[in-house]
Amino acid sequence: MCGIVGYIGQQPAPPIILEGLQKLEYRGYDSAGICTIDGGQAHIRRSKGKLVNLARLLAAVPMQGSVAIGHTRWATHGKPTETNAHPHKAGPVVLVHNGIIENYLTLKKDLHCNNHNFKSDTDTEVIAHLIEHEMVRGSGFEEAVRAALQELKGAYAVCLVSETEPGMMIAAKHGSPLVVGLGDREFMVASDIPPILPHTREMVFLEDDEMVVFKDGSARFSTVSGDSLTKIARHIDWSPLLAEKDGYRHFMLKEIFEQPRTVQDTLAGRLLEDEEDVCLEDLGLNDSELAQVRRICIVACGTSWHSGLVGKYLLEEHCRLPVEVDIASEFRYRNPVIGPETLLIAISQSGETADTLAAVREATIRGARTISICNVIDSSIARETEGVIYTHAGPEIGVASTKAFVTQLVALYLLMLRLGRVGGSITLERMLPHFATLLHLPALMERALRLDSAAESIARRYQHAGDFLYLGRGINYPIALEGALKMKELSYIHAEGYPAGEMKHGPIALIDENLPVVVLALKDRHYQKVISNMEEVIARGGRVIAICTEGDNEVALKAESVMYLPECSEWIAPILLSIPLQLLAYHMSSIKGNDVDQPRNLAKSVTVE
Ligand code: F6R
């Protein structure tokens, strides 16, 4: 996730772009850049780190021009360096981009053969070269943009200028958001509404494969392939703060609803359907090194540890390798038995958690192979492990992890497929159903998000409870732990997660008519056993909130409250189950008037012990 912004009009563009980027910094903040067209020439300034660095640069060396584009980056391809920062230029063409170009390596290879030299490691630079290539072959700027965009696979929102057309700006999108602001002979584009609000409230939301060309004080809409379009502007009367959260009351809710899109980003370019294989571009270990792995050890903290627990079920079942999952703060002081045949997987959203980083260092000293699953590009853990699977979830602002967690689960699923292929435990025949499952996942997640209002009613009903119990079995047991963690950290209500089969060994003593018990009862191999556990709770007066499969009337008759999820493969059930549990905790916190995005005593990144 990155933020892009563009302006064309009569006013000095650089301050407008800078102010716009400030409002998009929540979308990424590892580097930023701006390009103005002034005197027929493109002038570019870029800087690594937060936007304030770019602002300082502009204050020291001001820019002129009333056409400009800007970018704030959340790195996906290429480290967060000045060279990789946008805008990218090839010949006369300059652009900013939000999204992931999945076929960039193939395109780059072809362009190399045509004498194009690349300065950055980004997927984005390929687009600039493709357009330049078309222009060298005789196309005008607009025609070249259309031709190039039709070659791209993946997601993009782009804003482009060219030294050959100093009074023109072009924007287009496929898969990433793009809003167009229509002023009086001035126009803006941005990844989101907030940068546009101070300038105009008349906005057009571009659909996929649509494009807009600004020239001579007018905006001309068309499809990327060239059919003209009439777009109706909407009047947006949101307050600036509401707009930053995309209309949601809290960042956490926005991030919950973003999850289908983020999962698509995690999968982008990684499922190679033609080759029936999975590509994990920065994995670090080659096939023969992966084949030598005899044991896996996963280390993480908090929510990331829960994703590691799900990973154990996936990896043991499909790769037939023994997997241990450790809390990083325990692992680092435990004299663990690991060596060159152990693959240590560190899972961390921030990539900076002190205990997880220390566990990586400990494992490295003991000779284990190390990889990580991180969200923040080039973070310490990503750097200190031999390879990394980036989750591409974009910045997570809510302190309680949601979208980072589900994308960690997807990353583990992808790793399981890769290891299974290399080790021979997943045959080609068994691979394809997994592809279908993953490709269908975002649509199922959209359906799970429809539980929002049911989750809110349930939160209201149980808002005075002093404790909650969460029960699950098998691969969904870690989700019971995660549901309980979300509830306690957000609502400050005490909550425990348990494997349902453990009930008889102690926790059943807690059950009385005041205890809500969340039972994860999907139709899977443990279904009948979970139902028995649920009956035990009901028999003792416990109040069951069941999450079950659509059409399951048996559970509906027994439980006090029910939420239904669509039928799904058991391997993605943890992802779908997470959604109603996140929503339940979110609403409980919001009803209680807590600070949802920054719960008390917590920090987003725990960089101290
Ligand atoms: C809970 C939560 C934390 C983090 C934990 C590890 O919602 O977010 O439990 O999961 O602090 O953080 P990372 O993943 O950054 O290492």
Side-chain angles (χ1 to χ4, degrees), residues 187-490:
F187 303 95
M188 270 191 92
V189 295
S191 301
D192 203 349
I193 293 170
I196 302 177
L197 276 181
H199 304 279
T200 173
R201 290 183 172 250
E202 302 307 311
M203 300 189 200
V204 168
F205 295 81
L206 283 195
E207 301 290 338
D208 279 356
D209 303 312
E210 290 183 353
M211 181 164 140
V212 54
V213 179
F214 306 99
K215 197 180 171 183
D216 300 331
S218 71
R220 182 162 42 84
F221 293 91
S222 63
T223 62
V224 168
S225 54
D227 298 328
S228 359
L229 291 171
T230 309
K231 300 287 288 181
I232 311 287
R234 271 175 56 192
H235 182 80
I236 303 295
D237 53 11
W238 290 357
S239 73
L241 196 65
L242 196 66
E244 211 168 283
K245 295 175 186 153
D246 215 4
Y248 292 99
R249 282 184 60 214
H250 299 99
F251 279 110
M252 181 186 173
L253 193 59
K254 174 172 177 273
E255 286 161 4
I256 291 173
F257 274 84
E258 251 167 36
Q259 292 180 113
R261 174 75 244 168
T262 37
V263 163
Q264 267 167 10
D265 287 346
T266 314
L267 293 174
R270 286 168 167 173
L271 295 182
L272 308 178
E273 284 176 88
D274 294 342
E275 288 128 78
E276 295 174 350
D277 208 347
V278 165
C279 159
L280 295 170
E281 58 284 0
D282 299 313
L283 196 58
L285 276 68
N286 62 31
D287 284 2
S288 74
E289 290 170 316
L290 284 178
Q292 283 164 31
V293 170
R294 292 285 164 269
R295 203 169 141 247
I296 293 175
C297 187
I298 301 179
V299 288
C301 301
T303 286
S304 297
W305 178 65
H306 296 152
S307 77
L309 290 173
V310 174
K312 176 181 170 76
Y313 287 86
L314 285 170
L315 293 161
E316 287 193 340
E317 172 80 21
H318 297 282
C319 304
R320 308 307 302 142
L321 287 166
V323 182
E324 274 176 63
V325 190
D326 246 305
I327 290 181
S329 54
E330 290 296 317
F331 176 91
R332 60 183 291 197
Y333 294 116
R334 213 196 57 220
N335 199 7
V337 184
I338 50 172
E341 293 186 337
T342 310
L343 175 66
L344 180 117
I345 308 173
I347 307 180
S348 174
Q349 185 285 130
S350 61
E352 301 296 345
T353 299
D355 286 320
T356 312
L357 183 58
V360 167
R361 289 177 178 159
E362 189 62 40
T364 307
I365 290 168
R366 289 165 190 254
R369 307 305 306 260
T370 60
I371 61 168
S372 55
I373 296 177
C374 291
N375 192 36
V376 179
I377 300 262
D378 220 25
S379 49
S380 303
I381 293 171
R383 281 199 313 269
E384 293 205 22
T385 43
E386 293 172 79
V388 54
I389 306 172
Y390 286 119
T391 48
H392 298 325
E396 195 176 56
I397 312 247
V399 164
S401 186
T402 52
K403 62 176 182 169
F405 174 66
V406 304
T407 54
Q408 287 168 354
L409 299 182
V410 173
L412 283 160
Y413 200 134
L414 292 171
L415 178 63
M416 171 274 270
L417 294 178
R418 185 83 203 97
L419 273 173
R421 283 296 292 127
V422 171
S425 57
I426 299 181
T427 58
L428 274 187
E429 212 184 352
R430 288 177 61 192
M431 189 76 159
L432 289 182
H434 286 299
F435 275 30
T437 300
L438 284 172
L439 291 169
H440 192 43
L441 174 59
L444 291 178
M445 293 172 76
E446 294 286 1
R447 279 170 65 187
L449 285 167
R450 292 186 206 150
L451 288 171
D452 186 35
S453 55
E456 184 175 3
S457 318
I458 292 174
R460 280 195 197 287
R461 186 169 185 182
Y462 299 93
Q463 62 179 297
H464 301 297
D467 304 273
F468 265 80
L469 191 61
Y470 287 69
L471 300 179
R473 267 181 184 256
I475 196 167
N476 296 327
Y477 152 55
I479 303 305
L481 297 179
E482 173 59 7
L485 176 60
K486 286 280 103 69
M487 183 57 88
K488 59 188 148 195
E489 69 179 331
L490 286 154

Side-chain angles (χ1 to χ4, degrees), residues 1-5 24 26-27 96-100 155-159 171-180 189-194 196 204-210 246 254 258 261-262 264-265:
M1 192 152 93
C2 301
I4 68 171
V5 58
L24 291 180
Y26 76 89
R27 300 178 66 88
V96 287
H97 164 225
N98 166 35
I100 298 174
Y156 63 78
V158 284
C159 187
K173 77 154 234 137
H174 178 92
S176 304
L178 200 63
V179 188
V180 180
V189 295
S191 301
D192 203 349
I193 293 170
I196 302 177
V204 168
F205 295 81
L206 283 195
E207 301 290 338
D208 279 356
D209 303 312
E210 290 183 353
D246 215 4
K254 174 172 177 273
E258 251 167 36
R261 174 75 244 168
T262 37
Q264 267 167 10
D265 287 346

